[in-house]
Each structure stands twice: as C-alpha cells, then as structure tokens.
Amino acid sequence: MRIMRLVICLDGCFLSASSNAVTNKGLVFQHVPKHMRRRAVSHNVKRLPKRLQQAHLGQLIKSSGGPQKKPKKPNRKYRRRKSNLLLEYNRRQRNVKWLETHIWHAKRFHMSTKWNYKIPIAPCDKGYRAIYRAFHNYSAMRDMSFYCCLEIMGSSTLIGEKFKHITSQSVDLLSVAARYYVNGQREGRLHIYSESTYPYGYIGEANFIWVEDSILWLWIHPGCKQLILDQLINIFQLFEKLQFSNANATMLNLDIPSDQMKLEPKKLSSSRQWTSDENGVVLTDLEGGLNRIRLYGPTTFSVLKETLRLNTGVDKDSSAASSTWCNEFWRNNEDLLKLQNLVWLNASSSHDFPNQVVLPLVVRDPRIFLPQSRSKLRDQSSSHTPMDTDQDFNRLLDEYLEAAPKPLANKGVRSRVLCERMSDLELSRRRGRVLIPGSQLELGAEENQIPILLIRQFGCGWDIILPAGWALSFWISFSYRCVRTFGHRDAVHHTIEFGSVHSPELFTPDSLCSHQETEAEGIQKLKTFFSFPPAKRSNLVRLKCPFPFRIDWKLLLRHSWRNFLSTPVGDEVGSSSEIFVLRDTNILQTLSQACGTYNKEVFDFITLIPEIRNCLVGVGVQFVGKGISKSQSIICLPESEKEIVEKYELPVEPVGDCKDLEHERKLLRQKHRQEMAFLRKKRKKLRKQEINVETPTVQMFNSTDLSYSYNSAMQSLYLSPPNSTLESMSRKPFGFVTVGAESFKNGKCVGFGYVTLLGLQRFFQIVKSWKTKDTVLLRDTANSLDYRKAKLKIFTT
C-alpha cells in the first residue's frame, strides 16, 4: 500500500510539473505518463488531457501539413433530433391530443389514436396476468384524463327539469337534481338519450358531481361528447360565446411562456363556453383543465394515505406564504383544516367511506415525499381505527362533508395552482442543496398545496380529480409505490372479470358511437382477413359464419320476428335508432330472477313490454366445461334437454355448401382474365401508334376500376350470405357475443353480448319443464362447427 501511494504521489508531481512545461523536449503526447498513453491519440485528440489537447493539435497540423480530418458524421437519428423538444412536442399535439402523462406512457406502452387522443393500449413488458394480480392483490391505476368534463352553471331545479327530457326515471332511479346528489357529497351516474326519444336514441353514459350549489360537473366519454353537447345546447337553448373576458384570459399566462408548456394545457384561457339569456345557464367545456386518475385494488387506500400528505397548520408569519392561494384559503378555515386532518388520519380503509362519496382534500406536493427507490406498501386496512366506534367516524365524516368546500371548482384557484407550481428543475436543485443526502426536503411557505377530489368507487377503487399540470407528479408518486399501470385493453379485461355488459368501456349496439367503432373495427378485420391467401384463412362459408367482421343487429331482429313472433309482421326494419337495449331496472331484475326458473307470469310479463320486437337484452355467458368465447360467437337455443346434459354428446353444425360459390368464383376469374387481356391488347396497340398516355382514349382502357370491382366481387363470394346462413342453421340463433376472454376469476372463458327479447321469451318457454333452465348453446362461428354449453346470466346494472 505504501509503494502504491508513493507511485501515485510521483505521478501527480510529474503531471503538475509537466503542466508548466508543455513545450519541453519531445512531442506533447510524450508528456503523459506511460500508464495514461493511448494509441488512438494520433487521430483523436480527446484521448489526451484537456491541458495538452491544444498543443498536440498544433503539432499534428504541422507534421501532417494540414488540418486534422473531420470526425465521422453521427447517425441519422442523432442528426435529426430536435434542438427544442418543447416546441416539437407542441407541434405533435396539433392534430392529436396528448395526456399529461403521454411521454411516460409512450416509453412503456403501445399507443394508439382513439377519439382524437393518444391512448395507452397495453404495456410492453407484461400481459394481463400481471395486471390481474395487481387488481387482486395490490393496486393498479389508469389515466382517465381523456374523459371530458362539462361544467353547467345554473339553478339546480332548472337543470333537473331540463335533464328529464334526455333521461328516464325507469333507467336512473334518482334524477340529477335529487337531494341525495345536490348536496355534493355523492357522485351520480345517468344514461343520456336524445330529447324525448326514450327508449330509442341512446347516446351514452355520464357521471355527474354537484361541486357547488349551482355548478354541475358532467364527465362523459370522448366518443359521445359532441352528441351530448348538442343535446345540452338544444334543451337549454344556448349559443356559443366566442371567448372569455380579458381578466380570465390573462390569468393563466403569468410566468408560463407558451413555448415552454410541454404537456400542460395550452387552451385553458380560451375554453369554449355557451350561455343562455333566457334562463341564465352557462355551459363550459373544461377539457384539459382537469385530470382524472383511477386506482383499483385492495391496498389502494394504503397507497393514497402514503402519497397524499395533509398540511398540519398555516404559516401566518411568513411573507412568502401570504401570497399563495392555500394560505388565503386556510386563513378563514382553520377549524376546517383540523377537521380534514382528523378525518384523513382516522380513516383506516376504503370501507370506512360509503360508495360514490366525494371527499375534497388539499394535499401537499407529492414530489417531496418520493421514496429513494420503488417499494411496495403493506396493506394497512387491518389496523384498528383510532376512533372508539365506527359511528364516531361516520359522524366526523358527515360533519366534514357538510362543511368542506371544494376549492377545485373555482377557476381562479385552478389557475393559481398551475401558475404557482414549482418546476421539477427548481425542486431538484433544492433537493441537491440538502446537507444530508436522502433526507426530506423542507420548503416551508414555498411548498405547493393542491386541491383534489377523491371519489370512492364500488369495491376497492378510488378516483382522483386533479387540476391541470399536476397529473404527472401524482402519477410518478404512485408509480414509486409500485402501483401497476394498465391501459385500454386491460380495462376491457377488467370489465370482463369484475364488470357487466353495461360498463362504459363497452359500447352498446343502439348508440351512434357503437356504429362508428364497430364499422372501423369491421373494416380493419376485413383487410386483415383478405391479406392472407385463400389457403391460409378460414372457409367462412363451410363454417356458416353469418357475421365474421361486424354484427348486423337489425338482421338478427328480423330473423327473430320471423321465427319467434306469433303474429306475422313485415320484414322491413327501420333505421338504427329503432333498435334499443333494455335498461329498465325493474324489468331487468324480473328477467334476471326468472333466468334459471320458469314462471308463467314472467312469460306473460315479457309479452306486455312495449316495443318488444326491437329490443335487445344485455347478457353474460360462462362456459360449462371447455370452450373459447370470442367476438361474433353466436348464442343459440337448445332443441332438447339431452343437448345440455353433461354426459350427452354436444351437437355439431353441418358443414355449409360452398360448391356454387366456387363455381361462381371460377367463372368470375375467367371473365376477369379475358377483360384484362382485352384492355392490355388495346393499350399495346395505342402505344405502337405513339399516342400520349394521358389522352382520354388511352384512359378508357385503364384497368384500375375494373380491378377494384373484381376484388370487391371476389371478396363477396368468399363470404356466406348472412340471411340465408341464419335460416339454415340447425340451432336457432337469438344473440351474439360482443366481447369475450378467459377469466382468471372464474377459471373459464366468459363473454358479454346481447340477445333479442323475443328469443329470450322463446328460451324461457322451451326450458320450462327442464331441470337446467339457464343453459344455452354457444359456437365460435369463425373457427369451429362445434356447439358448447354455457350458462346464461342477465345483467341488471
């Protein structure tokens, strides 16, 4: 050790002495100790210490007779990088909107453009099994900020009266102006229809919160936003206001240059607004002004308590604190601050709060409490509550909910929270100045405080509503607690595991959004199917597949009219608005109780339902034994009780006849070859005559249109006619599965779909004397001819 220290000291002395005598005898690179010399120094000056680089470069130029050769250009990806990433991010958001967590997701997820947003679809590293474990054992989260929020300001009585025109009390038991919701302590849910068209004209589902006595927040899916917006403008007789006043417009531009707002909302000051001079109602589009994060899992509340820290007191002496919004807010609400801390500290689990409760909180900056590394939290829900009894906590919670305001509902507060936000760069600099590395950062009066809303969902789920600009900070804080992230695909799987067919993640056949989604999906499936050669794709004619790409519900209803209706009716079906999904709560509960038993009163009760011919009922199916449930799987009626007995061999659909279609394809192929040869011969003759290709004479013999029509005709000959296919099936179909997958919860494949009410009535009539009264036959029409047994379940909510 002593010899090594001596060598190091001698080297240091040599280097310090050579720094003062670079121009001594020999070349510059010889002034470096032997253990520091490099072969590459002759063509790379940076291999030398900085103090010798300039002198060595001069000697190299003199010896070579010219300047050193330029280094090789970097690769194309490096050369095409943007000098200003913030401007590049803003440019890429002109046509498609980004979430505030877009860059975080883009590095870890498969992204797709849906509803004019860049939506995370599925993670790149894990499948759904890891997400299911997080749902079942720990916690998972999803960014729901692409949901749109509409703010309606006006009298609650007037808003309730107007909403009766676009909702139905038979579907939503409590109206939007019910006393249960108007106090702002619960979040409600309603189904919106076109004005005075119930049960037809369904648009979509919406969640609502009364954040103040006269302010209603409406959360809607972006796919049906414009339709709902048009209905609200119509019933309230609104006209659009071009822009806000100057005072509100300049509120957000304080200390935030427009070119530096990377993923923060840039159009908050110019949000669209509609007003009415007759009733004083004001409708505002809060898109981009609020963020929503959904967490689900048994340890979600423990993660929330660890991440969301509350302020314990107000700093009255500091001059910096007097200018912040939180000090102004708490200055007159010190008792409320103590009550907020009591409620949050005494809560031990999600079960201490009622379902759909809206809990307003003001929390500290979560970036300050980031752990040093990602680590899981233990579930603290089993720990005892500090309160003596649950009644004491409920009394404390009711007192807080009645007295607590919602500062997040104030536009000025949301603007100041965004403007006063300390940047990540400044926060990192402050953290770097801490004397003890790893210790907690103390900002004092300069610490940010954020108003949020916590909404308890059914089960162990919570929704967090945040102001603009703060989504990524909370998102990273949850990620450091090992909360797993899921996207749109996993949300659909979660709906199959724990939800129902009426979930907002699944579009219904009677909504316009569903037509747009299924049409686009059907076109993509058609292109994918015919991209393979005929020998590498399924023979849909022999498999008797009526709807391989998109389900035609009107044709299915027409088939039910012909086969299940006692009185004859016409064959014509009206527009898509004449098809509706049954959502009446009382009727669905009656049908659900009747499924599995037979009651003649229920059979007669179905006959009295209005518009029974156009009605679809949402159902769920679960296989008995083996079987795979996929989209477009067909639900059929069993012919006899033997077919659903365990020991009986399952029926098989006879193979479809495709000889006629093969003969037609052969004739069409021969005809097309003759026509193409004729056009080719004419074009060749014109080229010999040296006629310009762009002349109309030559264009007459262009084969582009002929090839397009031939491809369309040939594709139709590879598909079976839907109407004749439904009629030729050995088992009568009365429904289809719209989405299906393997369920880890049940250990079997399950699916959600819809059946016709006429077919359901016939099913109750067939199984009235059987022991098993809830089993149907299911067949994957795109891949198999075998029927499988499945249990039928009718969803009520």
Side-chain angles (χ1 to χ4, degrees):
M1 290 295 294
R2 294 180 180 178
I3 297 175
M4 290 298 298
R5 291 176 183 174
L6 179 62
V7 172
I8 293 172
C9 292
L10 290 176
D11 291 342
C13 295
F14 180 79
L15 289 175
S16 61
S18 60
S19 63
N20 300 323
V22 178
T23 58
N24 288 345
K25 295 180 180 180
L27 299 176
V28 175
F29 72 88
Q30 294 176 341
H31 290 233
V32 182
K34 289 185 178 181
H35 70 279
M36 294 180 62
R37 295 180 186 180
R38 298 291 182 267
R39 289 186 301 105
V41 74
S42 58
H43 56 81
N44 190 356
V45 183
K46 293 185 179 180
R47 293 288 188 176
L48 281 174
K50 285 187 176 181
R51 61 182 179 81
L52 302 176
Q53 288 181 9
Q54 195 65 29
H56 175 72
L57 186 60
Q59 290 183 357
L60 196 62
I61 292 174
K62 289 180 181 179
S63 62
S64 60
Q68 190 180 12
K69 186 171 59 175
K70 292 183 180 180
K72 183 181 178 181
K73 286 184 178 182
N75 58 14
R76 185 174 181 271
K77 179 180 178 182
Y78 185 79
R79 283 186 280 117
R80 288 176 58 86
R81 75 192 190 282
K82 302 299 178 181
S83 58
N84 192 334
L85 279 178
L86 302 184
L87 295 178
E88 173 63 11
Y89 290 152
N90 291 333
R91 183 194 65 80
R92 289 163 60 185
Q93 295 180 70
R94 291 176 185 172
N95 299 326
V96 181
K97 300 170 187 175
W98 284 8
L99 305 178
E100 290 186 14
T101 58
H102 172 81
I103 291 183
W104 190 95
H105 277 103
K107 296 178 180 179
R108 301 165 176 86
F109 272 71
H110 298 286
M111 308 294 290
S112 178
T113 303
K114 298 176 74 69
W115 314 299
N116 202 25
Y117 276 91
K118 276 291 185 180
I119 303 295
I121 301 299
C124 300
D125 58 342
K126 296 289 184 181
Y128 176 69
R129 189 182 295 272
I131 303 293
Y132 176 78
R133 284 198 297 265
F135 281 135
H136 193 267
N137 300 324
Y138 190 64
S139 181
M141 63 178 175
R142 184 191 182 193
D143 193 350
M144 307 282 291
S145 302
F146 58 90
Y147 269 64
C148 307
C149 182
L150 300 178
E151 182 182 75
I152 305 175
M153 299 178 62
S155 171
S156 59
T157 305
L158 175 64
I159 293 175
E161 289 295 329
K162 294 295 184 181
F163 263 82
K164 289 182 180 178
H165 297 290
I166 59 175
T167 57
S168 175
Q169 192 172 2
S170 60
V171 178
D172 307 307
L173 300 180
L174 295 178
S175 66
V176 69
R179 189 181 304 174
Y180 184 75
Y181 296 126
V182 172
N183 56 14
Q185 299 179 12
R186 298 290 188 276
E187 181 190 43
R189 183 174 298 172
L190 51 86
H191 296 269
I192 297 179
Y193 293 81
S194 297
E195 186 177 3
S196 303
T197 59
Y198 176 81
Y200 301 104
Y202 180 73
I203 298 178
E205 188 176 338
N207 295 346
F208 64 90
I209 308 171
W210 286 95
V211 291
E212 289 185 6
D213 293 338
S214 59
I215 300 179
L216 176 70
W217 279 0
L218 205 65
W219 290 86
I220 55 181
H221 194 278
C224 55
K225 172 189 173 182
Q226 190 58 44
L227 296 175
I228 295 178
L229 195 59
D230 294 340
Q231 293 297 322
L232 295 177
I233 293 173
N234 186 27
I235 63 174
F236 289 109
Q237 299 178 359
L238 304 174
F239 62 91
E240 186 170 2
K241 188 177 180 181
L242 295 180
Q243 58 184 0
F244 288 111
S245 61
N246 294 332
N248 291 334
T250 57
M251 180 70 71
L252 280 174
N253 295 330
L254 300 174
D255 303 327
I256 303 180
S258 60
D259 60 341
Q260 294 183 10
M261 298 180 67
K262 181 168 58 176
L263 295 180
E264 296 171 354
K266 298 175 284 299
K267 297 182 181 179
L268 293 181
S269 59
S270 59
S271 300
R272 299 179 66 187
Q273 193 177 60
W274 296 263
T275 58
S276 175
D277 296 334
E278 297 181 1
N279 47 38
V281 175
V282 179
L283 174 63
T284 307
D285 186 3
L286 298 182
E287 182 180 5
L290 295 169
N291 297 292
R292 188 161 183 156
I293 298 175
R294 177 163 296 174
L295 292 93
Y296 190 89
T299 61
T300 295
F301 192 75
S302 300
V303 173
L304 290 177
K305 290 201 70 173
E306 182 67 21
T307 307
L308 307 180
R309 309 287 181 90
L310 306 184
N311 192 13
T312 55
V314 182
D315 192 357
K316 299 181 180 179
D317 300 330
S318 176
S319 59
S322 61
S323 60
T324 59
W325 78 271
C326 55
N327 188 268
E328 298 175 3
F329 176 75
W330 291 123
R331 190 175 297 165
N332 301 322
N333 300 299
E334 292 189 22
D335 295 337
L336 186 62
L337 177 61
K338 297 178 181 178
L339 191 59
Q340 173 184 266
N341 282 275
L342 279 175
V343 171
W344 191 244
L345 293 176
N346 286 285
S348 61
S349 69
S350 300
H351 303 290
D352 293 337
F353 299 90
N355 289 327
Q356 304 300 320
V357 68
V358 179
L359 186 67
L361 295 175
V362 179
V363 299
R364 299 171 65 183
D365 192 341
R367 297 174 294 177
I368 299 175
F369 308 104
L370 279 180
Q372 294 294 321
S373 61
R374 297 180 78 249
S375 57
K376 279 191 175 183
L377 300 177
R378 295 182 179 179
D379 186 10
Q380 302 173 1
S381 59
S382 60
S383 60
H384 69 281
T385 307
M387 306 294 293
D388 295 336
T389 60
D390 293 339
Q391 296 180 355
D392 295 338
F393 179 79
N394 294 335
R395 192 182 306 111
L396 184 67
L397 178 62
D398 294 339
E399 181 183 354
Y400 173 70
L401 292 178
E402 291 177 2
K406 299 180 179 65
L408 189 61
N410 191 336
K411 184 178 185 300
V413 172
R414 296 197 302 269
S415 303
R416 293 186 63 180
V417 169
L418 178 60
C419 295
E420 295 172 4
R421 181 180 184 272
M422 182 180 292
S423 65
D424 294 335
L425 178 61
E426 180 63 24
L427 194 68
S428 299
R429 287 174 178 172
R430 299 286 185 91
R431 189 178 282 114
R433 297 173 192 162
V434 177
L435 295 178
I436 303 175
S439 60
Q440 184 175 327
L441 181 63
E442 297 291 342
L443 295 178
E446 297 182 87
E447 182 181 329
N448 298 122
Q449 295 191 35
I450 306 99
I452 66 170
L453 291 180
L454 280 178
I455 303 173
R456 164 81 191 282
Q457 301 296 331
F458 291 96
C460 300
W462 286 87
D463 281 10
I464 308 175
I465 300 179
L466 306 167
W470 283 95
L472 187 60
S473 302
F474 282 84
W475 188 267
I476 293 177
S477 300
F478 293 137
S479 179
Y480 264 77
R481 271 81 181 185
C482 291
V483 179
R484 186 168 286 278
T485 310
F486 65 99
H488 177 70
R489 183 201 67 182
D490 302 319
V492 174
H493 275 276
H494 178 258
T495 301
I496 296 174
E497 292 281 359
F498 304 100
S500 70
V501 73
H502 301 293
S503 173
E505 297 292 340
L506 309 176
F507 288 105
T508 57
D510 59 341
S511 66
L512 182 60
C513 306
S514 173
H515 293 300
Q516 297 173 351
E517 288 288 323
T518 54
E519 185 176 357
E521 185 180 355
I523 293 174
Q524 184 62 35
K525 288 182 178 179
L526 179 69
K527 292 180 179 179
T528 304
F529 180 78
F530 284 105
S531 64
F532 294 97
K536 300 299 181 182
R537 59 188 185 221
S538 302
N539 191 333
L540 300 177
V541 180
R542 293 174 62 86
L543 291 172
K544 289 189 178 180
C545 180
F547 307 119
F549 312 117
R550 182 175 179 268
I551 301 173
D552 190 350
W553 297 102
K554 293 186 292 184
L555 189 60
L556 179 64
L557 284 170
R558 187 186 297 122
H559 177 267
S560 297
W561 296 0
R562 297 196 188 108
N563 294 273
F564 304 140
L565 198 60
S566 57
T567 58
V569 297
D571 291 342
E572 295 298 326
V573 183
S575 61
S576 61
S577 61
E578 295 186 0
I579 296 175
F580 72 95
V581 175
L582 183 64
R583 296 182 180 87
D584 192 307
T585 307
N586 296 327
I587 298 177
L588 288 176
Q589 288 179 352
T590 304
L591 295 178
S592 179
Q593 294 173 1
C595 189
T597 60
Y598 177 75
N599 189 348
K600 190 177 184 304
E601 297 179 357
V602 176
F603 181 80
D604 298 335
F605 172 73
I606 296 177
T607 309
L608 299 177
I609 296 176
E611 304 292 340
I612 185 176
R613 296 181 302 172
N614 302 328
C615 183
L616 297 172
V617 182
V619 297
V621 291
Q622 178 179 336
F623 278 96
V624 179
K626 62 181 181 179
I628 298 176
S629 175
K630 293 184 179 180
S631 179
Q632 281 85 33
S633 296
I634 194 166
I635 304 174
C636 298
L637 297 173
E639 284 189 348
S640 62
E641 188 176 5
K642 293 181 179 180
E643 294 180 351
I644 58 176
V645 177
E646 295 183 0
K647 298 181 180 180
Y648 187 76
E649 186 177 355
L650 292 172
V652 179
E653 180 69 26
V655 179
D657 186 13
C658 60
K659 293 182 179 180
D660 296 338
L661 293 178
E662 289 179 359
H663 181 66
E664 291 182 19
R665 288 198 298 266
K666 183 178 180 180
L667 295 178
L668 180 62
R669 194 176 295 113
Q670 293 176 356
K671 181 181 177 182
H672 178 67
R673 288 174 180 173
Q674 293 175 0
E675 292 176 347
M676 293 293 287
F678 172 77
L679 295 177
R680 194 183 308 113
K681 183 178 180 181
K682 287 291 184 181
R683 290 196 301 269
K684 185 177 180 181
K685 184 177 180 180
L686 291 174
R687 279 197 298 268
K688 288 183 177 180
Q689 298 176 4
E690 298 181 355
I691 298 178
N692 188 8
V693 180
E694 301 297 332
T695 57
T697 306
V698 179
Q699 291 297 323
M700 289 175 56
F701 302 104
N702 192 354
S703 60
T704 303
D705 296 337
L706 180 62
S707 299
Y708 179 78
S709 60
Y710 166 75
N711 291 332
S712 300
M714 185 61 72
Q715 288 180 2
S716 64
L717 293 177
Y718 278 102
L719 305 176
S720 58
N723 196 7
S724 61
T725 304
L726 290 174
E727 295 292 342
S728 64
M729 285 187 181
S730 60
R731 304 297 183 272
K732 296 297 181 182
F734 71 109
F736 282 91
V737 174
T738 56
V739 59
E742 182 183 359
S743 172
F744 296 114
K745 177 182 177 182
N746 301 311
K748 298 177 182 179
C749 284
V750 299
F752 294 162
Y754 296 89
V755 298
T756 62
L757 190 55
L758 288 173
L760 190 64
Q761 184 185 26
R762 177 60 61 88
F763 173 69
F764 288 156
Q765 186 180 14
I766 291 175
V767 301
K768 63 181 179 180
S769 60
W770 298 357
K771 293 182 179 179
T772 304
K773 296 181 174 60
D774 59 349
T775 304
V776 295
L777 295 177
L778 204 67
R779 183 169 70 89
D780 182 11
T781 55
N783 299 288
S784 176
L785 291 169
D786 298 330
Y787 286 96
R788 301 292 181 183
K789 295 178 293 185
K791 295 286 185 180
L792 188 71
K793 176 184 177 183
I794 299 176
F795 289 105
T796 58
T797 57

